């Protein structure tokens, strides 16, 4: 992963049947667990990443040098405003 030149400070995490490896140069490697090594995707964060991703439900949070990025399915929630007027 990373051509053998990228460092990995963050611990890998597992979520929904995939392993996530965060490279220090900002690459997120998505790996299929199993006897055969297979990188499913590589995603570029565009900034240095040194922190281990956090998982909450089906959302992954990646902290880069200057941002926190949430990756997951958007959930739609209805907002009850009572009379329909903003106060």
């Amino acid at each position: 992963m990373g051509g053998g030149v990228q460092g990995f400070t963050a611990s890998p995490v597992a979520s929904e049947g995939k392993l996530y490896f965060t490279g220090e140069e900002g690459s997120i490697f998505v790996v299929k667990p199993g006897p055969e090594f297979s990188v499913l995707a590589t995603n570029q964060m565009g900034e240095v990443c040194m922190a281990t991703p956090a998982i909450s439900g089906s959302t992954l949070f990646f902290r880069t040098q200057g941002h926190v990025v949430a990756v997951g399915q958007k959930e739609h929630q209805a907002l009850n405003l009572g009379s329909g007027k903003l106060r």
Side-chain angles (χ1 to χ4, degrees):
M1 288 187 301
V5 296
Q6 188 162 181
F8 292 86
T9 300
S11 298
V13 295
S15 178
E16 298 189 3
K18 298 177 183 83
L19 302 172
Y20 296 86
F21 293 84
T22 305
E24 292 175 357
E25 300 298 318
S27 299
I28 309 296
F29 300 94
V30 183
V31 176
K32 179 181 177 182
E36 299 292 324
F37 181 77
S38 176
V39 176
L40 300 174
T42 302
N43 301 287
Q44 301 299 326
M45 301 303 286
E47 293 183 286
V48 172
C49 294
M50 304 283 283
T52 298
I55 303 170
S56 179
S58 61
T59 303
L60 282 85
F61 295 88
F62 297 93
R63 184 170 60 86
T64 67
Q65 189 172 16
H67 297 87
V68 173
V69 179
V71 178
Q73 295 290 327
K74 184 175 182 179
E75 294 182 21
H76 298 281
Q77 295 180 338
L79 179 61
N80 183 354
L81 298 176
S83 66
K85 295 180 182 177
L86 295 176
R87 298 174 206 180

